[in-house]
Structures are given as structure tokens and as C-alpha cells.
Amino acid sequence: MIRFFLAFLYLLIIEMLQPSWSIACEQPLKSGVQSERFPQIDNKQVRTWRTIIAPNQPLKLHRHEYPRVVTVLRGGVLKSVAESGEILAVRHFKAGESYWLDADPPDQLHACVNLGPGVIEVVVTELK
């Protein structure tokens, strides 16, 4: 129950901040941007980070042990690829929207590939 309350509270805060985010996200990123993760919060309830995914720079193989909310700051098309090369999902992320993603299956690693010409930027919140 507390997970859902925290997710609701998080989404409510995101909705209130959305206008300021849209202004910030209209600003271009510096050239030469690389895919990377910026940790933000890690406690008993949640783990939050901001991720930048540059075109042609896949994220390394990883797994999400917990379900998560992905809030999109800069949208695009993101492909999730298993270690075997199998395409697990292709998601069309829209800036200003939030998406619920379940925990990954045990022992299944994936990499994320940005299929578009622009940078994708998201905030991920895993619910522990």
C-alpha cells in the first residue's frame, strides 16, 4: 500500500513541476553528450536517478529488480534489447509523460538503445 502511495505522491509532484521541466528541456544539451546515469535518491523505499541516453550510445547491460516509474524529460524512441540480441520492447516516450514499468524477470539483462536523432532524458524511480 505504501508503494502505491509513494508512487502517487511522486507523480503528483512531477505534475506540479512539469511546466518548469518543459522550459528546461527545451534548452539544447551541449554537443558531445554521452549516455550516463546521475543518482539522486537511494533509501529503503525508492531509488531514483536521471539518465541521459544519447543516439548510438547504448546503455550497458543491466536489470531492474523493482517496478519503476519513468518520467520523460526529453522524449524519443527507446529499444530494449536482451543479452541474446532479442528485442524486448520498443517504447515511444513523450516528454512530460510518466510510464509504469514492471520489474524485469529474474536473470534477464537488457541494454537500452536510443533509436532517434536526439537525446532521450528520463528520471527513473524504482519502488523497493
Side-chain angles (χ1 to χ4, degrees):
M1 184 68 176
I2 193 155
R3 282 186 184 182
F4 294 107
F5 174 74
L6 289 172
F8 173 77
L9 183 60
Y10 177 79
L11 292 174
L12 182 62
I13 292 168
I14 295 300
E15 186 64 29
M16 292 184 331
L17 294 176
Q18 187 173 346
S20 62
W21 275 1
S22 63
I23 292 168
C25 292
E26 289 171 2
Q27 302 300 316
L29 292 174
K30 296 176 185 175
S31 61
V33 171
Q34 296 184 358
S35 295
E36 56 187 315
R37 179 185 281 192
F38 303 93
Q40 295 183 334
I41 298 171
D42 192 354
N43 60 33
K44 291 180 182 178
Q45 290 82 27
V46 299
R47 179 181 304 130
T48 301
W49 64 89
R50 183 171 59 92
T51 299
I52 293 175
I53 309 163
N56 302 313
Q57 291 183 21
L59 296 177
K60 66 180 181 177
L61 287 169
H62 62 281
R63 179 179 176 278
H64 297 279
E65 183 178 354
Y66 302 104
R68 61 211 180 273
V69 174
V70 177
T71 300
V72 183
L73 304 179
R74 295 176 193 269
V77 179
L78 193 67
K79 179 171 65 171
S80 179
V81 182
E83 195 170 14
S84 65
E86 173 190 0
I87 297 172
L88 301 173
V90 176
R91 295 187 175 91
H92 298 262
F93 286 136
K94 182 179 174 187
E97 297 288 331
S98 294
Y99 302 85
W100 174 264
L101 300 176
D102 291 323
D104 292 339
D107 302 320
Q108 184 183 70
L109 297 176
H110 70 274
C112 296
V113 180
N114 178 349
L115 298 179
V119 170
I120 295 174
E121 186 173 6
V122 298
V123 174
V124 180
T125 300
E126 287 185 336
L127 304 173
K128 297 181 180 180

